[in-house]
Amino acid sequence: MKVYGRITVFPIMPARINRLYELAYNLWWSWHPEARALYSTLDPQLWERVGHNPVRFLSEVRPQLLEEAATQPEYLEQYDSVIKNFDFYIHPQPDETWFSRTYPELTGKTIAYFSAEFGLHESLPIYSGGLGILSGDHCKEASDLGLPFVGVGFLYPQGYFHQRINRDGVQEASYDKLHFSEVPAVPAIGPDGNEVVISVDLPGRRIYAKIWKLLVGRVPLYLMDTDIPPNAPSDRELSARLYGGDHEMRISQEIVLGIGGVRALRALGISPDAWHLNEGHAAFLSLERCRELVVKGLTFNEAREVVISNSLFTTHTPVPAGNDTFSYELIDKYFASYWGQLGLNRDQFIELAEEMQSWGPMYGMTNLALKLTGQHNGVSALHGEVSRKMWQHLWSGLDSDEVPIGSITNGVHTFSWIAPEINELFGRYLDPDWGRYVDDPEFWNERIAQIPDAELWKTHNLRKKIFVDYARKKLKQQHLRVGEGSLQIAEFDQMLNPDALIFGFARRFATYKRATLLFRDLNRLRKILNNPEKPVQFVFAGKAHPADEPGKSLIKYIYTLSRSEEFRGKIVLLENYDIDMARYLVSGTDVWLNNPIRPYEASGTSGQKAALNGLPNCSILDGWWDEGYNGKNGWAIGEEREYHDQEAQAEADSLSLYHLLETEIIPSFFQRDANGIPHQWLATMKEAIRTCAPQFSMRRMVKEYTTRYYVPEIRQSLLVEQNRYERERKLATWKERIRSNWRSLELYVDGQRNGQLSLGETIDVHAWVRLQGITTDDISVELVYGETTDELAHAQYALPMTFSKREQDGSYRYDIQLKPNESGSIAYNVRVIPSHPHLTEKYELGLIRWA
Ligand SMILES: *Cc1c(COP(=O)(O)O)cnc(C)c1O
């Protein structure tokens, strides 16, 4: 039949356990396995069939099972304990527990976090990979910390695809329709008591989005849905899929996310004090905020000052092609009626995001985000460095070291990723309440040795057994589906050996991740895999974007090998990598392998999940591992360098990988004592936990975001409010004055140009500036110096020079004594930059005059 409406009807719940509903509607269960068990244990088969979704489960469970459970003492005890913890978590009394409110001073404030994807649980496929998992984990930790945080995104009715691998190793994508009545989300209600629907204008039409509210512990997530009746059929499809469709669909989705997202918050009566753009997809939100202020009577430049003062942009993409750009044709089509509302003409609007590509100028979302936020960061130290170089051209005249893009290294939400058995082990040997100390390195330093080797080994092997069983089941399902015979199917009952050294490799099949690096020298690999005394196996999993043909051919290659006589059982490929499978893989293999092309992995997080569960990483020194590796907590493939030639890089990295396998990893794993315990290996496991669990936790990460970015943004918002935009108005006028007079600025320097100096001696440097329309209050004159090599001079230090006097000829003189604090070759220069106490960051104007 043709469907008009769809309603989920729940059975009548026995009163004794009626809070199972409420619990189902808070994603808190996604990081509390004991809460999920309240559903799964009632009917494990149904639990599998409904994809671990408690809301669907409740709608389909046989009422009799609920009735029975309501009389079972054991079940009720579990139930009461979960409900008690849930209440304690959701409504902690002040001072009752460490997590009641980590930031009491932020009460009443709001931090808004925009992301195109959120990876919270496998039953909610609105994520594609690392970016989404990061957003999901960020929300969960914000909830744990009691941060006043709201997320904004999309509820894609079909989400990201479900991967199947057919008999020929070809990836097939299928999309399951997600029925929102079966999702743990409810329509968001506005202050007027009505469901919230917002609209945005697209070319020739208006489209509407309904807002759904999803609870992630104490954090609400507002998700937009365009699949509603007033919209034309094509618009109802608009948010159907994550990263599906062409550029038109993409720009439309981003308009709904950015512009619609701001309108959704307004309609809900939420006024954020801090704004966080997670990746460039949401950059239009800054335009919408400007538009709101222009409506209030500010000029665009004034509005921009307000907007940048309290917004942060996190970039994730070190590959230029990974940054979203749109053609001017598309911008004209979609924004022709919008730029006027900002008080801008077309050229001014385009200039905000102009980005030169080899084929011409494009409208770049990363550019736009960088220009319309005051604070920016990358997601690991190395990625910060790469981003500063990549976007240096936006701050012409600045050394890349000084480009205002910082970095906060990604982390993972500990309780979403720790295996229950490892959690229990930590509880026994570290502290029953160890979760409280997750990000405290001291805690881990002191206590990790308290875990007996034999216990860690036993627990790890238990996880390994659970993983192997899971993998066998999945492989059987997959091959039954493609129609293999019973003989072949029976083979999967023996697939993977729990006593072997098992490597895990799972991530998106993007080509830069080089999933097939291991196979560069098949002869050498064959030897590694065929030692009966020391069995070694590799498990692969991951999706390729449906439009990524090279990515899909990597899958086919690995699949074909895995089915070949020679590598069968030694190379295993699992289909449909998702959060559920990730939980098994990162705790049930022995080593986590990652070999991207440095420096293309902005951070990577799966290795952090693995390390938390005691799996050492064997990885390229890229992203987080460049910081995480300490020589004892895993292995580093290759060197800390980049190559010009990717072929040479792959050759060097694969040789290094084989060498590590042969000489270090395999021998260490199989070196056992009389009881079969590999003490040296366990030392590496413990070192991985000790060093990575605190440092790469989401707790450490969210706290860093809060102190470095959110708190200052909130402070700025308060100032904006108190000043009623007066400060920003003045700042905008000041910037306009500086910009229009900057070209007239002249700078002369007098100081020693060549020569030698003994450490402790000084040289006098003088500078004269001539100004028109600018005063000495508007500038800062700096002596910049640093180490130098033949080609490069580093701007390591920037010291303000002192204004001494106005000369007869009208120029202004500045002095300083340069006193090098180290021996060696140094270079120096003098520069002038605009200076104003209200700038969010020093180089904001991108104006600089060097002598
Ligand atoms: C953690 C995770 C990722 C990200 O892994 P990377 O190592 O950053 O590529 C992707 N997909 C799933 C399902 C994950 O759990």
Side-chain angles (χ1 to χ4, degrees):
M1 110 185 149
K2 196 161 169 278
V3 178
Y4 175 76
R6 179 183 289 266
I7 293 155
T8 296
V9 183
F10 293 114
I12 297 189
M13 184 71 80
R16 180 66 176 82
I17 53 173
N18 67 359
R19 291 188 68 198
L20 282 180
Y21 282 136
E22 185 191 339
L23 200 62
Y25 277 94
N26 190 319
L27 270 281
W28 182 81
W29 51 252
S30 69
W31 68 102
H32 291 87
E34 67 283 8
R36 294 198 295 274
L38 289 181
Y39 308 92
S40 63
T41 52
L42 291 178
D43 185 345
Q45 272 154 3
L46 176 62
W47 180 250
E48 289 305 316
R49 198 150 54 71
V50 298
H52 307 168
N53 170 354
V55 173
R56 255 189 88 187
F57 182 90
L58 285 183
S59 75
E60 295 187 28
V61 69
R62 276 185 295 134
Q64 192 199 341
L65 292 177
L66 294 170
E67 298 292 346
E68 279 167 22
T71 62
Q72 274 173 13
E74 228 174 281
Y75 185 86
L76 292 175
E77 197 183 313
Q78 280 294 331
Y79 172 85
D80 290 338
S81 147
V82 169
I83 294 290
K84 179 162 157 269
N85 289 339
F86 178 66
D87 286 338
F88 190 66
Y89 181 92
I90 301 291
H91 309 288
Q93 296 305 306
D95 306 325
E96 192 176 40
T97 164
W98 64 271
F99 61 73
S100 41
R101 270 221 175 266
T102 325
Y103 298 98
E105 69 279 16
L106 302 185
T107 308
K109 304 295 180 191
T110 304
I111 301 153
Y113 178 91
F114 282 59
S115 183
E117 43 174 318
F118 286 91
L120 293 154
H121 186 253
E122 61 266 22
S123 65
L124 205 60
I126 56 171
Y127 64 95
S128 78
L131 181 72
I133 310 274
L134 187 81
S135 312
D137 278 8
H138 199 130
C139 292
K140 292 174 184 176
E141 191 66 51
S143 166
D144 288 349
L145 288 170
L147 262 191
F149 195 87
V150 303
V152 178
F154 265 117
L155 195 53
Y156 304 92
Q158 300 176 16
Y160 202 56
F161 73 97
H162 192 90
Q163 179 196 50
R164 288 189 174 151
I165 297 175
N166 75 14
R167 277 187 91 120
D168 303 318
V170 176
Q171 165 178 293
E172 292 169 352
S174 67
Y175 292 84
D176 290 336
K177 172 106 177 133
L178 198 62
H179 296 294
F180 296 162
S181 61
E182 296 169 354
V183 165
V186 293
I189 304 296
D192 59 1
N194 294 322
E195 289 186 5
V196 176
V197 174
I198 56 102
S199 67
V200 296
D201 290 327
L202 292 183
R205 64 204 196 272
R206 173 159 293 178
I207 88 155
Y208 296 86
K210 172 170 170 167
I211 315 301
W212 294 81
K213 180 180 181 177
L214 205 114
L215 287 172
V216 183
R218 296 184 271 170
V219 163
L221 192 56
Y222 295 103
L223 301 175
M224 284 173 288
D225 162 26
T226 60
D227 188 13
I228 56 172
N231 292 333
S234 61
D235 288 333
R236 296 186 61 162
E237 285 281 301
L238 189 72
S239 65
R241 295 174 182 181
L242 171 61
Y243 306 143
D246 57 6
H247 277 90
E248 294 236 8
M249 181 165 284
R250 187 93 167 200
I251 196 170
S252 307
Q253 283 191 349
E254 293 186 7
I255 288 171
V256 175
L257 177 63
I259 296 177
V262 174
R263 294 181 185 173
L265 291 176
R266 301 305 183 201
L268 289 159
I270 297 171
S271 340
D273 303 276
W275 301 75
H276 188 170
L277 287 65
N278 190 41
E279 191 53 320
H281 309 124
F284 293 138
L285 91 82
S286 293
L287 291 177
E288 176 64 5
R289 291 186 59 207
C290 287
R291 192 194 61 83
E292 292 179 332
L293 293 161
V294 169
V295 170
K296 284 191 185 171
L298 276 68
T299 65
F300 177 78
N301 283 343
E302 292 165 352
R304 178 181 17 201
E305 292 306 326
V306 177
V307 169
I308 68 174
S309 74
N310 61 5
S311 52
L312 164 70
F313 165 56
T314 301
T315 174
H316 292 264
T317 326
V319 193
N323 288 273
D324 256 345
T325 56
F326 297 114
S327 69
Y328 286 178
E329 198 188 339
L330 221 52
I331 293 297
D332 285 340
K333 181 168 170 190
Y334 281 80
F335 282 94
S337 64
Y338 195 84
W339 57 62
Q341 298 178 52
L342 295 171
L344 299 180
N345 60 32
R346 178 183 184 266
D347 289 350
Q348 291 165 323
F349 185 79
I350 294 272
E351 198 198 312
L352 284 174
E354 179 171 350
E355 189 174 311
M356 285 313 287
Q357 303 276 4
S358 48
W359 58 91
M362 298 282 283
Y363 197 86
M365 294 301 279
T366 306
N367 270 17
L368 184 69
L370 286 170
K371 294 228 182 101
L372 292 183
T373 53
Q375 315 196 81
H376 332 107
N377 74 297
V379 290
S380 68
L382 182 60
H383 177 235
E385 218 177 292
V386 170
S387 304
R388 286 189 285 278
K389 291 209 181 90
M390 200 163 144
W391 302 104
Q392 186 179 6
H393 59 276
L394 297 182
W395 285 270
S396 63
L398 266 197
D399 262 26
S400 69
D401 297 349
E402 293 181 295
V403 167
I405 300 178
S407 71
I408 292 183
T409 305
N410 285 344
V412 294
H413 182 247
T414 308
F415 287 96
S416 293
W417 295 107
I418 194 153
E421 295 79 3
I422 300 282
N423 184 354
E424 191 267 337
L425 184 78
F426 289 175
R428 222 163 351 121
Y429 291 102
L430 303 181
D431 189 296
D433 196 16
W434 67 271
R436 177 175 182 166
Y437 308 102
V438 162
D439 61 333
D440 176 2
E442 281 304 302
F443 173 81
W444 297 90
N445 290 347
E446 281 168 16
R447 311 223 174 170
I448 195 73
Q450 295 172 3
I451 306 177
D453 277 1
E455 285 294 305
L456 180 56
W457 189 236
K458 195 171 100 189
T459 311
H460 174 66
N461 282 302
L462 185 59
R463 277 313 297 179
K464 214 167 149 185
K465 176 83 178 50
I466 292 171
F467 164 67
V468 167
D469 288 344
Y470 168 87
R472 288 174 178 170
K473 194 178 81 189
K474 289 279 159 187
L475 286 164
K476 266 166 83 169
Q477 280 170 2
Q478 174 185 346
H479 289 91
L480 271 172
R481 195 195 63 238
V482 299
E484 290 200 18
S486 51
L487 216 62
Q488 273 92 4
I489 299 298
E491 193 187 324
F492 292 110
D493 287 328
Q494 305 304 320
M495 195 61 84
L496 289 172
N497 170 4
D499 295 324
L501 167 58
I502 302 183
F503 286 80
F505 182 105
R507 47 190 49 87
R508 287 179 302 113
F509 272 93
T511 40
Y512 78 85
K513 294 186 184 251
R514 297 192 299 194
T516 53
L517 189 77
L518 178 68
F519 306 111
R520 274 182 77 89
D521 184 344
L522 285 178
N523 277 330
R524 197 158 168 187
L525 179 63
R526 210 171 275 130
K527 286 207 193 86
I528 291 170
L529 293 177
N530 281 324
N531 180 346
E533 313 274 270
K534 297 178 178 171
V536 175
Q537 303 178 333
F538 287 85
V539 181
F540 289 84
K543 296 175 178 177
H545 187 279
D548 178 9
E549 293 305 328
K552 287 196 274 190
S553 65
L554 295 177
I555 293 178
K556 185 167 177 180
Y557 177 83
I558 295 176
Y559 179 83
T560 310
L561 269 190
S562 77
R563 301 302 293 146
S564 72
E565 211 45 62
E566 197 175 15
F567 290 104
R568 200 173 269 226
K570 290 165 189 147
I571 304 295
V572 170
L573 177 69
L574 297 174
E575 68 178 5
N576 202 39
Y577 181 47
D578 68 356
I579 291 179
D580 184 41
M581 185 181 290
R583 278 200 302 266
Y584 287 95
L585 278 164
V586 299
S587 60
T589 54
D590 292 302
V591 182
W592 199 250
L593 178 65
N594 189 18
N595 45 35
I597 301 176
R598 177 180 154 123
Y600 289 170
E601 183 94 315
S603 166
T605 53
S606 58
Q608 303 174 342
K609 304 166 193 167
L612 170 68
N613 286 294
L615 274 60
N617 279 262
C618 171
S619 174
I620 298 281
L621 289 170
D622 195 9
W624 79 278
W625 189 236
D626 191 48
E627 295 157 56
Y629 175 64
N630 75 351
K632 294 183 294 190
N633 58 358
W635 298 273
I637 306 169
E639 295 165 45
E640 227 171 317
R641 57 166 287 194
E642 280 103 53
Y643 297 72
H644 283 297
D645 174 7
Q646 292 198 349
E647 190 56 29
Q649 187 164 5
E651 184 63 16
D653 289 342
S654 69
L655 290 178
S656 165
L657 172 58
Y658 293 130
H659 186 74
L660 282 174
L661 292 173
E662 292 161 349
T663 61
E664 297 191 31
I665 303 178
I666 299 172
S668 170
F669 183 81
F670 288 104
Q671 186 189 320
R672 307 292 168 95
D673 74 0
N675 300 314
I677 299 188
H679 292 287
Q680 190 192 6
W681 185 264
L682 284 153
T684 311
M685 288 178 70
K686 285 185 187 171
E687 189 66 3
I689 299 171
R690 181 186 75 81
T691 53
C692 301
Q695 185 58 25
F696 303 103
S697 65
M698 189 47 84
R699 176 102 31 99
R700 188 271 308 150
M701 182 189 116
V702 173
K703 281 184 177 173
E704 253 189 86
Y705 273 100
T706 307
T707 24
R708 277 175 54 192
Y709 296 127
Y710 300 154
V711 167
E713 282 181 38
I714 290 169
R715 210 175 293 133
Q716 289 287 333
S717 290
L718 196 66
L719 286 174
V720 171
E721 222 169 275
Q722 287 166 348
N723 284 273
R724 296 164 181 271
Y725 312 126
E726 219 22 67
R727 212 174 55 120
E728 290 67 34
R729 284 203 158 105
K730 285 193 185 135
L731 190 59
T733 314
W734 177 81
K735 280 190 183 174
E736 280 161 38
R737 177 164 60 80
I738 300 299
R739 284 215 169 88
S740 56
N741 289 299
W742 191 253
R743 295 182 64 178
S744 69
L745 187 147
E746 294 172 46
L747 171 65
Y748 307 95
V749 172
D750 181 31
Q752 200 177 340
R753 295 205 92 142
N754 291 298
Q756 291 95 29
L757 207 64
S758 299
L759 199 62
E761 287 179 344
T762 58
I763 46 176
D764 287 313
V765 182
H766 311 286
W768 288 267
V769 285
R770 284 175 183 280
L771 303 165
Q772 273 174 35
I774 301 179
T775 73
T776 51
D777 289 341
D778 299 323
I779 56 167
S780 162
V781 181
E782 294 179 330
L783 174 83
V784 182
Y785 73 100
E787 280 172 30
T788 177
T789 57
D790 284 348
E791 311 106 64
L792 285 174
H794 291 287
Q796 281 174 300
Y797 308 98
L799 306 175
M801 295 177 68
T802 322
F803 172 60
S804 73
K805 64 172 183 190
R806 181 157 190 201
E807 304 278 13
Q808 298 278 322
D809 65 0
S811 64
Y812 300 90
R813 181 175 135 179
Y814 288 76
D815 304 317
I816 196 166
Q817 283 196 321
L818 169 57
K819 186 177 179 188
N821 46 11
E822 278 170 53
S823 54
S825 180
I826 61 160
Y828 76 94
N829 199 351
V830 172
R831 70 181 177 197
V832 184
I833 56 171
S835 163
H836 191 285
H838 295 157
L839 291 178
T840 308
E841 48 87 11
K842 193 171 158 186
Y843 305 111
E844 201 169 297
L845 275 80
L847 297 174
I848 224 169
R849 175 63 51 80
W850 290 92

